[in-house]
Amino acid sequence: QNEKTIDMNLEEELYIGNVHCHSTHHANSHCWTMFVSSSPTDIVPPLSIKNVTYYLHPSFRPSVITVDEPPFLLPRRGWGYFTVKAVIAFHPESGKIKGANDNEDQNLVRVT
């Protein structure tokens, strides 16, 4: 796995995650919501992020969704588990990201 250290001067910590529930009353029994938060315990809208693009399993239509409103909630239903990738775009005033995604927009970070 190729990992890079990201050097940023953000004044907030960021947490990406999801809340999940399982229901036996529906064929797509997994209900979940992705989010990005500035708190490790609560969903608190981050101030430094412009938008988040989520990359879902290809069985979702659409499978690539950009969310522009903090805390970047993406609710969905599904039949199983999979890895969600995300690209986080920061507001220009948040500063440049050193060492992230070489040769690309320096206000973007990919998260898996």
Short mmCIF file of all heavy atoms in Angstrom, two decimals, residues 12-18 34-49 52 54 70-73 88:
data_model
loop_
_atom_site.label_atom_id
_atom_site.label_comp_id
_atom_site.label_asym_id
_atom_site.label_seq_id
_atom_site.Cartn_x
_atom_site.Cartn_y
_atom_site.Cartn_z
N GLU A 12 -8.32 22.39 12.40
CA GLU A 12 -9.29 21.42 12.88
C GLU A 12 -8.85 20.02 12.46
O GLU A 12 -8.23 19.84 11.42
CB GLU A 12 -10.69 21.72 12.34
CG GLU A 12 -10.80 21.63 10.84
CD GLU A 12 -12.16 22.02 10.30
OE1 GLU A 12 -13.12 22.12 11.07
OE2 GLU A 12 -12.25 22.24 9.09
N GLU A 13 -9.16 19.05 13.30
CA GLU A 13 -8.93 17.66 12.94
C GLU A 13 -10.13 17.18 12.14
O GLU A 13 -11.25 17.66 12.34
CB GLU A 13 -8.75 16.80 14.19
CG GLU A 13 -7.49 17.13 14.95
CD GLU A 13 -7.28 16.22 16.14
OE1 GLU A 13 -8.02 15.22 16.29
OE2 GLU A 13 -6.37 16.50 16.92
N LEU A 14 -9.90 16.24 11.22
CA LEU A 14 -10.98 15.72 10.38
C LEU A 14 -11.15 14.23 10.58
O LEU A 14 -10.17 13.50 10.72
CB LEU A 14 -10.69 16.03 8.91
CG LEU A 14 -10.57 17.51 8.56
CD1 LEU A 14 -10.16 17.67 7.11
CD2 LEU A 14 -11.88 18.23 8.85
N TYR A 15 -12.39 13.80 10.56
CA TYR A 15 -12.75 12.39 10.73
C TYR A 15 -13.75 12.03 9.65
O TYR A 15 -14.75 12.73 9.48
CB TYR A 15 -13.36 12.15 12.12
CG TYR A 15 -12.45 12.59 13.23
CD1 TYR A 15 -12.47 13.90 13.69
CD2 TYR A 15 -11.53 11.70 13.78
CE1 TYR A 15 -11.60 14.31 14.69
CE2 TYR A 15 -10.67 12.11 14.78
CZ TYR A 15 -10.71 13.42 15.23
OH TYR A 15 -9.85 13.82 16.21
N ILE A 16 -13.49 10.95 8.92
CA ILE A 16 -14.44 10.46 7.92
C ILE A 16 -14.98 9.14 8.43
O ILE A 16 -14.24 8.32 8.96
CB ILE A 16 -13.78 10.32 6.53
CG1 ILE A 16 -14.82 9.99 5.47
CG2 ILE A 16 -12.64 9.34 6.53
CD1 ILE A 16 -14.32 10.14 4.04
N GLY A 17 -16.29 8.96 8.30
CA GLY A 17 -16.87 7.74 8.82
C GLY A 17 -18.28 7.54 8.32
O GLY A 17 -18.73 8.19 7.37
N ASN A 18 -18.98 6.62 8.98
CA ASN A 18 -20.38 6.36 8.62
C ASN A 18 -21.13 5.88 9.84
O ASN A 18 -20.55 5.38 10.80
CB ASN A 18 -20.46 5.34 7.48
CG ASN A 18 -20.12 3.94 7.93
OD1 ASN A 18 -20.95 3.25 8.51
ND2 ASN A 18 -18.91 3.50 7.67
N MET A 34 -22.58 8.21 5.08
CA MET A 34 -21.19 8.67 5.16
C MET A 34 -21.20 10.11 5.65
O MET A 34 -22.16 10.85 5.42
CB MET A 34 -20.52 8.62 3.78
CG MET A 34 -20.33 7.24 3.21
SD MET A 34 -19.19 6.21 4.17
CE MET A 34 -17.70 7.19 4.18
N PHE A 35 -20.10 10.52 6.28
CA PHE A 35 -19.96 11.90 6.76
C PHE A 35 -18.49 12.25 6.92
O PHE A 35 -17.63 11.37 6.99
CB PHE A 35 -20.68 12.11 8.10
CG PHE A 35 -20.10 11.31 9.23
CD1 PHE A 35 -19.04 11.80 9.98
CD2 PHE A 35 -20.59 10.06 9.54
CE1 PHE A 35 -18.49 11.07 11.02
CE2 PHE A 35 -20.06 9.31 10.58
CZ PHE A 35 -19.00 9.82 11.32
N VAL A 36 -18.22 13.55 6.99
CA VAL A 36 -16.91 14.07 7.40
C VAL A 36 -17.17 15.03 8.54
O VAL A 36 -18.05 15.89 8.45
CB VAL A 36 -16.17 14.77 6.25
CG1 VAL A 36 -14.82 15.31 6.73
CG2 VAL A 36 -15.97 13.82 5.07
N SER A 37 -16.43 14.87 9.63
CA SER A 37 -16.67 15.66 10.84
C SER A 37 -15.36 16.23 11.37
O SER A 37 -14.28 15.71 11.10
CB SER A 37 -17.31 14.76 11.90
OG SER A 37 -17.49 15.46 13.11
N SER A 38 -15.47 17.28 12.16
CA SER A 38 -14.30 17.82 12.85
C SER A 38 -14.26 17.39 14.31
O SER A 38 -13.48 17.91 15.09
CB SER A 38 -14.28 19.36 12.74
OG SER A 38 -15.44 19.90 13.30
N SER A 39 -15.10 16.41 14.66
CA SER A 39 -15.13 15.86 16.02
C SER A 39 -15.01 14.34 15.97
O SER A 39 -15.62 13.71 15.11
CB SER A 39 -16.45 16.24 16.71
OG SER A 39 -16.63 15.49 17.90
N PRO A 40 -14.27 13.73 16.89
CA PRO A 40 -14.17 12.27 16.92
C PRO A 40 -15.40 11.59 17.52
O PRO A 40 -15.57 10.39 17.38
CB PRO A 40 -12.92 12.01 17.76
CG PRO A 40 -12.85 13.19 18.67
CD PRO A 40 -13.40 14.36 17.89
N THR A 41 -16.26 12.35 18.18
CA THR A 41 -17.40 11.74 18.88
C THR A 41 -18.77 12.18 18.36
O THR A 41 -19.77 11.51 18.62
CB THR A 41 -17.34 12.04 20.39
OG1 THR A 41 -17.32 13.47 20.58
CG2 THR A 41 -16.11 11.42 21.01
N ASP A 42 -18.83 13.32 17.66
CA ASP A 42 -20.10 13.85 17.16
C ASP A 42 -19.92 14.25 15.70
O ASP A 42 -18.80 14.45 15.23
CB ASP A 42 -20.53 15.09 17.96
CG ASP A 42 -20.75 14.77 19.43
OD1 ASP A 42 -21.57 13.88 19.72
OD2 ASP A 42 -20.09 15.40 20.27
N ILE A 43 -21.02 14.40 14.98
CA ILE A 43 -20.94 14.88 13.60
C ILE A 43 -21.00 16.41 13.64
O ILE A 43 -22.06 17.00 13.84
CB ILE A 43 -22.05 14.28 12.73
CG1 ILE A 43 -21.91 12.75 12.70
CG2 ILE A 43 -21.99 14.86 11.32
CD1 ILE A 43 -23.00 12.04 11.92
N VAL A 44 -19.82 17.02 13.48
CA VAL A 44 -19.67 18.47 13.53
C VAL A 44 -19.15 18.93 12.17
O VAL A 44 -18.09 18.46 11.73
CB VAL A 44 -18.69 18.89 14.65
CG1 VAL A 44 -18.47 20.38 14.65
CG2 VAL A 44 -19.19 18.40 16.00
N PRO A 45 -19.87 19.81 11.48
CA PRO A 45 -19.44 20.24 10.15
C PRO A 45 -18.05 20.87 10.16
O PRO A 45 -17.80 21.82 10.89
CB PRO A 45 -20.50 21.27 9.74
CG PRO A 45 -21.69 20.94 10.57
CD PRO A 45 -21.15 20.43 11.87
N PRO A 46 -17.13 20.36 9.33
CA PRO A 46 -15.80 20.98 9.23
C PRO A 46 -15.86 22.27 8.43
O PRO A 46 -16.66 22.41 7.51
CB PRO A 46 -14.96 19.93 8.51
CG PRO A 46 -15.91 18.98 7.90
CD PRO A 46 -17.23 19.14 8.56
N LEU A 47 -15.00 23.22 8.77
CA LEU A 47 -14.98 24.52 8.11
C LEU A 47 -14.02 24.58 6.93
O LEU A 47 -14.16 25.43 6.05
CB LEU A 47 -14.60 25.62 9.12
CG LEU A 47 -15.51 25.72 10.35
CD1 LEU A 47 -14.96 26.74 11.33
CD2 LEU A 47 -16.93 26.07 9.92
N SER A 48 -13.04 23.69 6.88
CA SER A 48 -11.97 23.77 5.89
C SER A 48 -12.30 23.09 4.56
O SER A 48 -11.58 23.27 3.59
CB SER A 48 -10.69 23.16 6.46
OG SER A 48 -10.93 21.81 6.83
N ILE A 49 -13.39 22.32 4.51
CA ILE A 49 -13.69 21.50 3.34
C ILE A 49 -14.70 22.19 2.42
O ILE A 49 -15.73 22.68 2.86
CB ILE A 49 -14.21 20.11 3.76
CG1 ILE A 49 -13.11 19.36 4.51
CG2 ILE A 49 -14.68 19.31 2.56
CD1 ILE A 49 -13.55 18.02 5.04
N VAL A 52 -16.88 16.98 -0.86
CA VAL A 52 -16.37 15.61 -0.78
C VAL A 52 -17.01 14.82 -1.91
O VAL A 52 -18.22 14.85 -2.09
CB VAL A 52 -16.70 14.95 0.58
CG1 VAL A 52 -16.22 13.50 0.61
CG2 VAL A 52 -16.09 15.74 1.73
N TYR A 54 -17.59 11.07 -3.12
CA TYR A 54 -17.57 9.68 -2.67
C TYR A 54 -17.61 8.75 -3.88
O TYR A 54 -18.36 8.98 -4.82
CB TYR A 54 -18.79 9.38 -1.79
CG TYR A 54 -18.81 10.15 -0.48
CD1 TYR A 54 -19.66 11.23 -0.30
CD2 TYR A 54 -18.00 9.76 0.58
CE1 TYR A 54 -19.70 11.92 0.90
CE2 TYR A 54 -18.03 10.46 1.79
CZ TYR A 54 -18.88 11.53 1.93
OH TYR A 54 -18.91 12.21 3.12
N PRO A 70 -21.61 20.83 4.21
CA PRO A 70 -21.12 20.18 5.44
C PRO A 70 -22.28 19.68 6.29
O PRO A 70 -23.33 20.34 6.29
CB PRO A 70 -20.37 21.30 6.17
CG PRO A 70 -20.24 22.42 5.20
CD PRO A 70 -21.28 22.24 4.14
N PRO A 71 -22.18 18.57 6.95
CA PRO A 71 -21.02 17.69 7.13
C PRO A 71 -20.89 16.61 6.05
O PRO A 71 -20.40 15.52 6.32
CB PRO A 71 -21.27 17.08 8.50
CG PRO A 71 -22.76 16.98 8.59
CD PRO A 71 -23.28 18.19 7.84
N PHE A 72 -21.33 16.91 4.82
CA PHE A 72 -21.10 16.06 3.67
C PHE A 72 -21.74 14.68 3.83
O PHE A 72 -21.12 13.64 3.62
CB PHE A 72 -19.61 15.98 3.35
CG PHE A 72 -18.99 17.35 3.30
CD1 PHE A 72 -18.27 17.85 4.37
CD2 PHE A 72 -19.21 18.17 2.21
CE1 PHE A 72 -17.75 19.14 4.34
CE2 PHE A 72 -18.69 19.46 2.17
CZ PHE A 72 -17.96 19.95 3.24
N LEU A 73 -23.02 14.71 4.24
CA LEU A 73 -23.78 13.48 4.47
C LEU A 73 -24.15 12.82 3.15
O LEU A 73 -24.58 13.49 2.21
CB LEU A 73 -25.06 13.78 5.26
CG LEU A 73 -24.87 14.41 6.64
CD1 LEU A 73 -26.22 14.78 7.22
CD2 LEU A 73 -24.12 13.46 7.56
N ILE A 88 -11.42 14.63 -0.92
CA ILE A 88 -11.80 15.81 -0.15
C ILE A 88 -11.16 17.03 -0.80
O ILE A 88 -9.93 17.08 -0.96
CB ILE A 88 -11.36 15.68 1.32
CG1 ILE A 88 -12.04 14.47 1.96
CG2 ILE A 88 -11.67 16.96 2.09
CD1 ILE A 88 -11.55 14.16 3.36
#
